[in-house]
Amino acid sequence: MPWTRAAALTAEHRARLIAAGVDGEILASTSLRLVTGPLPDWWQEQGNALYLDDDVDAADLPPKLIETLAYYSFSEVLLVAASPCNNVASLLVGGDGATVFLGPRSAFTATEIFCGAYSTVVLNAEVIATRCAIVDARNGGSVVAEADQLWAANVYVATDDMHRLEDLDTGARINPYGAQVRLGRHVWLGRDAIVTGHCEIGDGAVVGTRAMVRGQKVPPNTAVGGCPARVLREGVSWSAEDTP
């Protein structure tokens, strides 16, 4: 059954995306159309919206992905796919009010994406997830990646731990809940890297293989490694080209 495209991005949805962390210039240069079918009857009735870039066709967004996405009912979800998602392993929404933006010129090979209720996943543009990346935002948290990302295999980017860890004496939660994760422009995450909790990766930074950035701020143009991550070298730059 063919996709049916309707109106362009509304002003309300544009404002919501920008507030969520989508770069305004990227959004302005992306031609998006609302998809009206084939989707469940409840999809639009409950205020949900799925937009596709004009260059993304049905083969780039498999019906199986939508069937899984729409397995549970939710409302006021805003989902934008501006790059092909035919190699996305799973795209799941965990409740009302979720916002997901998969930006242009990106590739998500065997990537798993989860966005919980009132949570945000924004991958602005040119996000190259080479294989088996997991992106998980929940409990009102957010994952926002600026343009130009290179993620090696098995990268894990998550706001929360999915389970509660508490202090026995006080009962207070001691692990992240609804955390904010932000990756600056031109960030390279090495194989098996973990980025979780309230943290910020600066522009041009490199996170080494199997490093864990948890509740930390990585300065721009640094290389970090270890668990927990520590700065190994300052004043670095990196290129996707492997040259002498």
Side-chain angles (χ1 to χ4, degrees):
M1 187 173 180
W3 294 100
T4 304
R5 304 186 197 226
L9 185 68
T10 66
E12 177 186 359
H13 286 154
R14 181 180 300 275
R16 177 172 161 182
L17 290 169
I18 290 175
V22 178
D23 184 285
E25 292 184 4
I26 291 172
L27 197 56
S29 64
T30 305
S31 181
L32 300 173
R33 292 282 173 180
L34 184 69
V35 172
T36 55
L39 289 166
D41 292 339
W42 57 263
W43 182 278
Q44 292 187 53
E45 293 172 359
Q46 295 180 193
N48 302 299
L50 168 62
Y51 289 91
L52 297 185
D53 186 276
D54 283 344
D55 293 331
V56 177
D57 59 30
D60 295 328
L61 193 66
K64 183 176 70 173
L65 201 66
I66 297 300
E67 289 172 9
T68 305
L69 172 69
Y71 189 77
Y72 296 105
S73 177
F74 43 72
S75 63
E76 301 301 328
V77 163
L78 176 55
L79 172 62
V80 175
S83 284
C85 294
N86 51 306
N87 288 324
V88 172
S90 66
L91 176 58
L92 300 176
V93 168
D96 301 341
T99 303
V100 178
F101 181 85
L102 306 180
R105 302 176 300 282
S106 298
F108 311 106
T109 304
T111 297
E112 299 179 31
I113 298 169
F114 175 82
C115 190
Y118 304 104
S119 302
T120 301
V121 172
V122 170
L123 308 180
N124 262 292
E126 299 159 12
V127 177
I128 308 303
T130 59
R131 186 161 184 83
C132 299
I134 294 177
V135 182
D136 189 306
R138 59 184 63 221
N139 299 324
S142 68
V143 173
V144 177
E146 297 297 337
D148 189 11
Q149 305 282 320
L150 178 58
W151 299 353
N154 304 317
V155 161
Y156 181 75
V157 181
T159 60
D160 299 26
D161 297 329
M162 304 183 200
H163 305 292
R164 178 184 176 87
L165 181 65
E166 65 180 45
D167 184 279
L168 273 176
D169 293 329
T170 66
R173 181 170 181 139
I174 56 177
N175 60 337
Y177 185 85
Q180 314 295 314
V181 176
R182 187 170 192 91
L183 288 79
R185 294 183 65 89
H186 192 57
V187 166
W188 178 10
L189 301 182
R191 187 182 182 97
D192 298 312
I194 297 173
V195 180
T196 184
H198 292 285
C199 58
E200 182 176 343
I201 311 294
D203 293 350
V206 179
V207 177
T209 296
R210 296 184 178 174
M212 175 185 280
V213 179
R214 181 177 176 86
Q216 297 170 261
K217 190 169 185 176
V218 174
N221 300 110
T222 58
V224 302
C227 182
R230 61 183 179 85
V231 174
L232 302 176
R233 185 157 183 167
E234 299 176 331
V236 304
S237 65
W238 67 271
S239 171
E241 297 179 0
D242 190 13
T243 55

